[in-house]
Amino acid sequence: MELLKAFLCGGLLCAIGQVVIDKTQLTPARILTGYVVAGVFLTALGIYGPVVDWGGAGATVPLLGFGYALANGVKKAVAEQGWLGVLTGGLTATAGGIAAAVVFALLVALIFKASDKRQ
């Protein structure tokens, strides 16, 4: 049942993103950034926590989940370190994901040759 919930939650979030891409003039980069910021705001308002509890990986893997991780990292660091946690908490909480993204991007760049698709 958890897999079904994760699929439905993640699928809904992706479908919303696709509708925004199709119906607006926003670039994908702006939409992705908006998703991260929305994750932070929804977490700060206490709305995204129950979504994560219900949807599991379907809520934490998309970009809204990255914003959720940032916000929770900052909240935890502020509780432990005070205001210095505002600067360090988000990066500490997401360091593993950021490092993995950099390593995998490097591997892909080494394996495949990038080229412009100009015609």
Side-chain angles (χ1 to χ4, degrees):
M1 192 63 175
E2 287 183 34
L3 292 175
L4 179 62
K5 288 180 184 179
F7 176 77
L8 291 173
C9 184
L12 179 64
L13 294 173
C14 291
I16 291 169
Q18 188 63 48
V19 168
V20 172
I21 287 172
D22 291 343
K23 300 294 182 184
T24 67
Q25 296 294 321
L26 294 173
T27 63
R30 289 180 186 226
I31 294 168
L32 296 175
T33 305
Y35 259 43
V36 173
V37 172
V40 170
F41 281 130
L42 291 174
T43 301
L45 295 174
I47 296 170
Y48 204 67
V51 174
V52 169
D53 293 339
W54 184 82
T60 58
V61 172
L63 287 168
L64 284 163
F66 185 70
Y68 171 77
L70 286 170
N72 280 336
V74 169
K75 183 169 45 172
K76 180 180 175 187
V78 166
E80 293 173 358
Q81 303 171 354
W83 284 103
L84 181 62
V86 172
L87 302 173
T88 62
L91 290 176
T92 303
T94 59
I98 293 170
V102 170
V103 168
F104 289 125
L106 176 65
L107 290 175
V108 169
L110 292 173
I111 294 170
F112 300 100
K113 182 181 178 186
S115 64
D116 281 338
K117 294 186 178 183
R118 297 183 190 191
Q119 294 176 338

